[in-house]
Amino acid sequence: MTTKSNLFQHYPLNPAFFDEVFQKDGRVYPHYEDIHRQFSQLTSKDFERLNEYAKLSFLNQGITYAVYSDGHKGAEQIFPFDLFPRIIPSTDWNKLERGLIQRNVALNLFIQDVYGDRKILKDKIVPSALIFSSPHYSEEMKSIKPQNGIYCHISGTDLIRHSDGEYYVLEDNLRSPSGVSYVLSNRDAMKRTLSNAFRWANVRSVNEYPAELLATLQSVAPVTDDQPTCALLTPGTYNSAYYEHSFLAQTMGIELVEGGDLFVENNYVFMRTIRGPKRVDVIYRRIDDAFLDPLVFRPESMLGVPGIMGAYRAGNITIVNAPGTGVADDKAVCSYVPAMIRYYLDEEPIIPNVPTYLCEREEDLKYVLEHTRDLVIKPVDMSGGYGVLVCDRLSSAELEDIKLKIQADPRNYIAQPRMSLSVHSTYIENKGEFEPRHIDLRTFTLMGKDRQFVLPGGLSRVALKEGSLIVNSSQGGGSKDTWVLV
């Protein structure tokens, strides 16, 4: 086994957190030995040159993201990328893969049940009030049955690794999970910058994702005599994830369209092309339900397609993910997923949830108000890390303020214990060496007709600020290439 050296010689170890690379005695975990040895042989000048090359690669590919924190006001920035990859042994990944499929099968059955017989509500496994008070519950979906009974075709489940070394589910993202384009771009940047590194490790490919996504979309198309036509519906160039929208459409070989490019006639959806109207069978939408169809949802929406819900109801188009799927995206509902797995599958959850307190439950609210400083408070329906409060870092006045907000609207908040997100060696440019930074893992699962696929690895997100637990790219976080070993 190897120990710390060179770029790692001042690397601090903190026994309070699980370090993905170094053991508590300073030795490197066996699955990191080869890559650590290669990095240790680099001088600071060598590494700086490679780091600049990687950033140039991202710049040339236009890999950017809009940052809204710290006064950036949505400024486009190069997506921060750290060259030292995260490595997951195959045995660990195989368990995660099985757990993610189990979880997504149960979530799909839950959404189907909520808009169908509502057995899980009648049996009081999940409170009805929790579902019907969700802003993402859609009455429209009561009368619609999606193709093959699939509602959540694409999901992004966020995992963390606690100080006990075990993985836990932090939350599920079922509306428009983003970030998969960075997984593929990170791998491309790694191959361009450190091609020799791949000679030492047998790493599972991520390049098949666009083909798997397209096959998933095609598998849930309405019955047609021709090859199904799929399109990706984007809000437009000003959306913070537009890079991803264009990347996915291009790599799948399908059209990237805005609402104005589509129209509905006789309950069929058509795309305007220079050769005339072309029928569309599957829409991978990256806009929220509220903007999807101004005839059904928000009438002022300029982003959606008037009449598309009528075509959907008639079974002439598939919308991915299905409208109303966000009802299972609610962070309060997420806490019931282990119960859903037991209820629908009669199995124990393979990946446990982070313990969660629902503030609308009287006993939970009492605990949260008495232990606020020890908890992390989250609004139930926000994403991107917005609204998350790590309470031991708040002033007394700020603590009292959040307590008042919780008491005024307890349904809108959950609380979780301050989990010790694992740390990973990350290059800190202004210090010229590696230091530990907190990370999580966004995974991507696809579900189609008779097919399931989990992208090997996913997106390892890094909180670049020392001590920060907020890893979201929209708030200045970065990412790493994630290697799943064969």
Side-chain angles (χ1 to χ4, degrees), residues 227-288:
Q227 180 83 346
T229 298
C230 307
L232 194 155
L233 176 60
T234 176
T237 56
Y238 293 105
N239 185 268
S240 62
Y242 183 75
Y243 164 76
E244 174 152 304
H245 304 167
S246 58
F247 177 91
L248 289 175
Q250 184 178 23
T251 53
M252 283 192 287
I254 67 174
E255 294 295 331
L256 178 67
V257 296
E258 297 183 23
D261 299 321
L262 303 173
F263 66 94
V264 176
E265 189 172 286
N266 296 325
N267 272 342
Y268 288 92
V269 179
F270 294 89
M271 175 169 52
R272 294 182 174 88
T273 77
I274 57 174
R275 297 182 182 85
K278 181 176 178 57
R279 185 182 157 184
V280 179
D281 302 293
V282 181
I283 289 287
Y284 174 21
R285 53 73 178 253
R286 294 294 296 257
I287 66 176
D288 291 342

Side-chain angles (χ1 to χ4, degrees), residues 282-326:
V282 181
I283 289 287
Y284 174 21
R285 53 73 178 253
R286 294 294 296 257
I287 66 176
D288 291 342
D289 289 2
F291 302 98
L292 196 53
D293 185 343
L295 301 183
V296 175
F297 301 113
R298 292 177 63 163
E300 73 276 19
S301 172
M302 302 291 286
L303 302 176
V305 185
I308 194 171
M309 286 299 292
Y312 186 49
R313 191 178 298 106
N316 295 330
I317 192 160
T318 297
I319 299 175
V320 173
N321 285 339
T325 300

Side-chain angles (χ1 to χ4, degrees), residues 372-375 389-394 399 418:
T372 311
R373 187 173 287 282
D374 303 325
L375 300 170
L389 295 174
V390 182
C391 292
D392 64 355
R393 300 177 183 182
L394 300 182
L399 273 178
R418 188 174 182 271

Side-chain angles (χ1 to χ4, degrees), residues 368-379:
V368 170
L369 294 177
E370 291 175 351
H371 300 84
T372 311
R373 187 173 287 282
D374 303 325
L375 300 170
V376 177
I377 305 293
K378 299 178 179 180

